[in-house]
Coordinates of all heavy atoms in Angstrom, one line a residue:
K202 N -8.4 -1.5 -7.1 CA -8.8 -2.0 -5.8 C -8.1 -3.3 -5.4 O -7.7 -3.5 -4.3 CB -10.3 -2.1 -5.8 CG -11.1 -0.8 -5.8 CD -12.6 -1.0 -5.8 CE -13.3 0.4 -5.8 NZ -14.7 0.2 -5.8
P203 N -8.0 -4.3 -6.4 CA -7.3 -5.5 -6.0 C -5.8 -5.3 -5.7 O -5.2 -6.0 -4.9 CB -7.5 -6.5 -7.2 CG -8.0 -5.6 -8.3 CD -8.7 -4.4 -7.7
V204 N -5.2 -4.3 -6.4 CA -3.8 -4.0 -6.1 C -3.7 -3.4 -4.6 O -2.8 -3.8 -3.9 CB -3.3 -2.9 -7.1 CG1 -1.8 -2.7 -6.8 CG2 -3.5 -3.4 -8.5
A205 N -4.6 -2.5 -4.3 CA -4.6 -2.0 -3.0 C -4.8 -3.0 -1.9 O -4.1 -3.0 -0.9 CB -5.7 -0.9 -2.8
A206 N -5.7 -4.0 -2.2 CA -5.9 -5.0 -1.2 C -4.7 -5.9 -1.1 O -4.3 -6.3 0.1 CB -7.1 -5.9 -1.7
A207 N -4.0 -6.3 -2.2 CA -2.8 -7.1 -2.1 C -1.7 -6.4 -1.3 O -1.0 -7.0 -0.5 CB -2.4 -7.5 -3.5
L208 N -1.5 -5.1 -1.6 CA -0.4 -4.4 -1.0 C -0.7 -4.2 0.5 O 0.2 -4.3 1.4 CB -0.3 -3.0 -1.6 CG 0.9 -2.1 -1.1 CD1 2.2 -2.9 -1.3 CD2 0.9 -0.8 -1.8
L209 N -2.0 -4.0 0.9 CA -2.3 -3.9 2.3 C -2.0 -5.2 3.0 O -1.5 -5.1 4.1 CB -3.8 -3.5 2.4 CG -4.4 -3.5 3.8 CD1 -3.7 -2.5 4.7 CD2 -5.9 -3.2 3.7
D210 N -2.3 -6.3 2.4 CA -2.1 -7.6 3.0 C -0.6 -7.7 3.2 O -0.1 -8.2 4.3 CB -2.5 -8.7 2.1 CG -2.7 -10.0 2.8 OD1 -2.6 -10.1 4.0 OD2 -2.9 -11.0 2.1
V211 N 0.3 -7.3 2.3 CA 1.7 -7.4 2.4 C 2.2 -6.5 3.6 O 2.9 -6.9 4.5 CB 2.4 -6.9 1.2 CG1 3.9 -6.8 1.4 CG2 2.1 -7.9 0.0
L212 N 1.7 -5.2 3.6 CA 2.2 -4.3 4.6 C 1.7 -4.7 6.0 O 2.5 -4.5 7.0 CB 1.7 -2.9 4.3 CG 2.4 -2.2 3.1 CD1 1.8 -0.9 2.7 CD2 3.9 -2.0 3.4
E213 N 0.5 -5.3 6.2 CA 0.1 -5.8 7.5 C 1.0 -6.9 7.9 O 1.4 -7.0 9.1 CB -1.3 -6.2 7.4 CG -2.3 -5.1 7.3 CD -3.8 -5.5 7.4 OE1 -4.1 -6.5 6.8 OE2 -4.6 -4.8 8.1
E214 N 1.4 -7.8 7.0 CA 2.3 -8.9 7.4 C 3.7 -8.4 7.7 O 4.3 -8.8 8.7 CB 2.4 -9.9 6.2 CG 3.2 -11.1 6.5 CD 2.6 -12.0 7.5 OE1 1.4 -12.0 7.7 OE2 3.4 -12.8 8.1
R215 N 4.1 -7.4 6.9 CA 5.4 -6.8 7.2 C 5.5 -6.1 8.5 O 6.5 -5.9 9.2 CB 5.8 -5.8 6.1 CG 6.0 -6.5 4.7 CD 7.4 -7.2 4.6 NE 8.5 -6.3 4.9 CZ 9.7 -6.7 5.2 NH1 10.0 -8.0 5.2 NH2 10.7 -5.8 5.4
A216 N 4.3 -5.5 9.0 CA 4.3 -4.7 10.2 C 4.4 -5.6 11.4 O 4.7 -5.1 12.5 CB 2.9 -4.0 10.3
K217 N 4.2 -6.9 11.3 CA 4.2 -7.8 12.5 C 5.5 -7.7 13.3 O 5.5 -7.5 14.5 CB 3.8 -9.2 12.1 CG 2.3 -9.3 11.7 CD 2.0 -10.7 11.3 CE 0.5 -10.8 10.9 NZ 0.2 -12.2 10.5
P218 N 6.7 -7.9 12.6 CA 7.9 -7.9 13.4 C 8.2 -6.5 13.9 O 8.9 -6.3 14.9 CB 9.0 -8.4 12.4 CG 8.4 -8.2 11.0 CD 6.9 -8.4 11.2
Y219 N 7.8 -5.4 13.2 CA 8.0 -4.1 13.6 C 7.2 -3.9 14.9 O 7.7 -3.3 15.9 CB 7.5 -3.1 12.6 CG 8.3 -2.9 11.4 CD1 8.1 -3.6 10.2 CD2 9.4 -1.9 11.4 CE1 8.9 -3.4 9.1 CE2 10.1 -1.7 10.2 CZ 9.9 -2.5 9.1 OH 10.7 -2.3 8.0
A220 N 6.0 -4.4 15.0 CA 5.1 -4.3 16.2 C 5.7 -5.0 17.3 O 5.6 -4.6 18.5 CB 3.7 -4.7 15.9
A221 N 6.3 -6.2 17.1 CA 6.9 -7.0 18.1 C 8.3 -6.6 18.5 O 8.9 -7.2 19.4 CB 6.8 -8.5 17.7
R222 N 8.8 -5.6 17.8 CA 10.2 -5.1 17.9 C 11.2 -6.3 17.8 O 12.1 -6.4 18.6 CB 10.3 -4.4 19.3 CG 9.4 -3.1 19.3 CD 9.4 -2.5 20.7 NE 8.7 -1.2 20.6 CZ 7.3 -1.1 20.7 NH1 6.6 -2.2 20.9 NH2 6.7 0.0 20.7
Q223 N 10.9 -7.1 16.8 CA 11.8 -8.2 16.4 C 12.7 -7.8 15.2 O 12.5 -6.8 14.6 CB 11.0 -9.4 16.1 CG 10.1 -9.9 17.3 CD 9.2 -11.0 16.9 OE1 8.9 -11.2 15.7 NE2 8.7 -11.8 17.8
E224 N 13.6 -8.7 14.9 CA 14.4 -8.5 13.7 C 13.5 -8.5 12.4 O 12.6 -9.4 12.3 CB 15.5 -9.5 13.5 CG 16.4 -9.4 12.3 CD 17.4 -10.4 12.2 OE1 17.6 -11.2 13.2 OE2 18.1 -10.5 11.2
V225 N 13.7 -7.5 11.6 CA 12.8 -7.4 10.4 C 13.6 -7.9 9.2 O 14.6 -7.4 8.8 CB 12.4 -5.9 10.1 CG1 11.6 -5.8 8.9 CG2 11.7 -5.4 11.3
P226 N 13.0 -9.0 8.5 CA 13.7 -9.4 7.3 C 13.5 -8.4 6.2 O 12.5 -7.7 6.1 CB 12.9 -10.7 6.9 CG 11.6 -10.5 7.6 CD 11.8 -9.7 8.8
A227 N 14.5 -8.3 5.3 CA 14.5 -7.3 4.2 C 14.3 -5.9 4.7 O 13.7 -5.1 4.1 CB 13.4 -7.7 3.2
V228 N 14.9 -5.6 5.9 CA 14.7 -4.2 6.4 C 15.3 -3.2 5.4 O 16.4 -3.5 4.8 CB 15.4 -4.1 7.8 CG1 16.9 -4.3 7.7 CG2 15.1 -2.8 8.5
G229 N 14.7 -2.1 5.3 CA 15.1 -1.1 4.3 C 14.4 -1.1 3.0 O 14.7 -0.3 2.1
A230 N 13.4 -2.0 2.9 CA 12.6 -2.1 1.7 C 11.2 -1.4 1.8 O 10.6 -1.1 0.8 CB 12.4 -3.5 1.3
D231 N 10.7 -1.3 3.0 CA 9.3 -1.1 3.1 C 8.8 0.4 2.8 O 7.7 0.6 2.6 CB 8.8 -1.4 4.5 CG 8.8 -2.9 4.7 OD1 8.3 -3.7 3.9 OD2 9.4 -3.4 5.7
D232 N 9.8 1.3 2.8 CA 9.5 2.6 2.3 C 9.0 2.6 0.9 O 8.1 3.4 0.4 CB 10.7 3.6 2.4 CG 11.9 3.1 1.6 OD1 12.6 2.2 2.1 OD2 12.1 3.6 0.5
A233 N 9.5 1.6 0.1 CA 9.0 1.5 -1.3 C 7.6 1.0 -1.3 O 6.8 1.5 -2.2 CB 9.9 0.4 -2.1
G234 N 7.2 0.2 -0.4 CA 5.8 -0.2 -0.3 C 4.9 0.9 0.1 O 3.8 1.0 -0.4
L235 N 5.4 1.7 1.0 CA 4.6 2.8 1.5 C 4.4 3.9 0.4 O 3.3 4.5 0.2 CB 5.2 3.5 2.7 CG 5.4 2.6 3.9 CD1 6.2 3.4 5.0 CD2 4.0 2.2 4.5
A236 N 5.4 4.0 -0.5 CA 5.3 5.0 -1.6 C 4.3 4.5 -2.6 O 3.5 5.3 -3.2 CB 6.7 5.1 -2.3
V237 N 4.2 3.2 -2.9 CA 3.2 2.7 -3.8 C 1.8 2.8 -3.1 O 0.9 3.2 -3.8 CB 3.5 1.2 -4.1 CG1 2.4 0.6 -4.9 CG2 4.8 1.0 -4.8
A238 N 1.7 2.6 -1.9 CA 0.4 2.7 -1.2 C -0.1 4.1 -1.2 O -1.4 4.2 -1.3 CB 0.6 2.2 0.3
E239 N 0.7 5.1 -1.2 CA 0.2 6.5 -1.3 C -0.5 6.7 -2.6 O -1.5 7.5 -2.6 CB 1.4 7.4 -1.1 CG 1.0 8.9 -1.1 CD 2.2 9.8 -1.0 OE1 3.3 9.4 -0.9 OE2 1.9 11.1 -1.0
K240 N -0.1 6.0 -3.6 CA -0.8 6.2 -4.9 C -2.1 5.4 -5.0 O -2.9 5.6 -6.0 CB 0.1 5.7 -6.0 CG 1.4 6.5 -6.1 CD 2.3 5.9 -7.2 CE 3.7 6.6 -7.2 NZ 4.6 6.0 -8.2
L241 N -2.4 4.6 -4.0 CA -3.6 3.8 -4.0 C -4.6 4.2 -3.0 O -5.6 3.4 -2.8 CB -3.2 2.3 -3.8 CG -2.2 1.7 -4.8 CD1 -1.7 0.3 -4.4 CD2 -2.9 1.6 -6.2
V242 N -4.4 5.2 -2.3 CA -5.3 5.6 -1.2 C -6.8 5.7 -1.7 O -7.7 5.3 -1.0 CB -4.8 7.0 -0.6 CG1 -5.9 7.5 0.4 CG2 -3.5 6.7 0.2
R243 N -7.0 6.3 -2.8 CA -8.4 6.5 -3.3 C -9.1 5.1 -3.6 O -10.3 5.1 -3.7 CB -8.4 7.3 -4.6 CG -8.0 8.8 -4.3 CD -8.1 9.6 -5.5 NE -7.7 11.0 -5.3 CZ -7.8 12.0 -6.2 NH1 -8.1 11.7 -7.5 NH2 -7.4 13.2 -5.9
A244 N -8.3 4.1 -3.8 CA -8.8 2.8 -4.1 C -9.2 2.0 -2.9 O -9.8 0.9 -3.0 CB -7.9 1.9 -5.0
L245 N -9.0 2.5 -1.7 CA -9.2 1.8 -0.4 C -10.6 2.1 0.1 O -11.1 3.2 0.0 CB -8.2 2.3 0.6 CG -6.7 2.0 0.3 CD1 -5.8 2.7 1.3 CD2 -6.5 0.5 0.5
S246 N -11.2 1.1 0.7 CA -12.4 1.3 1.4 C -12.1 2.0 2.8 O -10.9 2.1 3.2 CB -13.1 -0.1 1.7 OG -12.3 -0.8 2.6
D247 N -13.1 2.4 3.5 CA -12.9 3.0 4.8 C -12.2 2.1 5.8 O -11.2 2.5 6.5 CB -14.2 3.5 5.4 CG -14.8 4.7 4.7 OD1 -14.1 5.3 3.9 OD2 -16.0 4.9 4.9
D248 N -12.6 0.8 5.8 CA -11.9 -0.1 6.7 C -10.5 -0.4 6.2 O -9.6 -0.5 7.1 CB -12.7 -1.5 6.7 CG -12.0 -2.5 7.6 OD1 -12.0 -2.3 8.8 OD2 -11.5 -3.5 7.1
E249 N -10.2 -0.4 4.9 CA -8.9 -0.6 4.4 C -8.0 0.6 4.8 O -6.8 0.4 5.1 CB -8.9 -0.9 2.9 CG -9.4 -2.3 2.6 CD -9.6 -2.4 1.1 OE1 -9.9 -1.4 0.4 OE2 -9.5 -3.6 0.6
R250 N -8.6 1.8 4.7 CA -7.8 3.0 5.1 C -7.4 2.9 6.6 O -6.3 3.2 6.9 CB -8.6 4.2 4.8 CG -8.8 4.5 3.4 CD -9.8 5.7 3.2 NE -9.3 7.0 3.6 CZ -8.8 7.9 2.8 NH1 -8.8 7.7 1.5 NH2 -8.3 9.0 3.2

Side-chain angles (χ1 to χ4, degrees):
K202 290 181 179 179
V204 183
L208 183 59
L209 173 59
D210 197 10
V211 172
L212 289 172
E213 286 186 319
E214 183 68 21
R215 293 285 303 166
K217 291 178 181 178
Y219 286 93
R222 296 175 175 84
Q223 298 171 341
E224 181 179 353
V225 178
V228 66
D231 292 310
D232 59 281
L235 298 176
V237 176
E239 186 181 357
K240 301 176 182 179
L241 299 171
V242 168
R243 293 184 179 180
L245 297 167
S246 67
D247 288 345
D248 180 63
E249 287 172 330
R250 290 170 72 101

